[in-house]
Amino acid sequence: MDEKNAIVTIQGGAGGDEAALFAGELFRMYTRYSDGRRWKIEVLDANETEQGGIKDITFVIKGKGTYSRMSTRGNTPRPACPRH
């Protein structure tokens, strides 16, 4: 297992309030997934809406095996797209 952290950015996109609400739900999904693995999340930057959505958010997921788990390159979709 690796010791690297994963940096994730979620952007609501051009869908207005609906896109921001979806981005907020996606962040909550990452939070629950991380909690289940006993990883820690540290928010670096967030831009929230009045309706409880997220226009954009950048956060770090910390924990053992985080990077290798979050940057899987196989036949399954990646939950995060690392920048190289």
Side-chain angles (χ1 to χ4, degrees), residues 14-29:
D17 290 336
E18 286 239 358
L21 291 171
F22 179 77
E25 183 60 31
L26 188 58
F27 174 67
R28 286 185 286 281
M29 288 171 52

Side-chain angles (χ1 to χ4, degrees), residues 32-75:
R32 288 190 300 267
Y33 182 78
S34 297
D35 287 346
R37 297 193 170 280
R38 297 188 177 162
W39 294 340
K40 302 294 180 199
I41 289 185
E42 176 185 337
V43 175
L44 301 176
D45 186 46
N47 188 1
E48 300 179 22
T49 66
E50 293 176 7
Q51 292 78 23
I54 296 175
K55 290 181 184 178
D56 56 78
I57 188 166
T58 301
F59 56 98
V60 178
I61 304 175
K62 300 178 179 184
K64 191 168 187 172
T66 302
Y67 184 81
S68 28
R69 187 70 169 175
M70 297 302 288
S71 64
T72 303
R73 299 175 193 268
N75 292 329

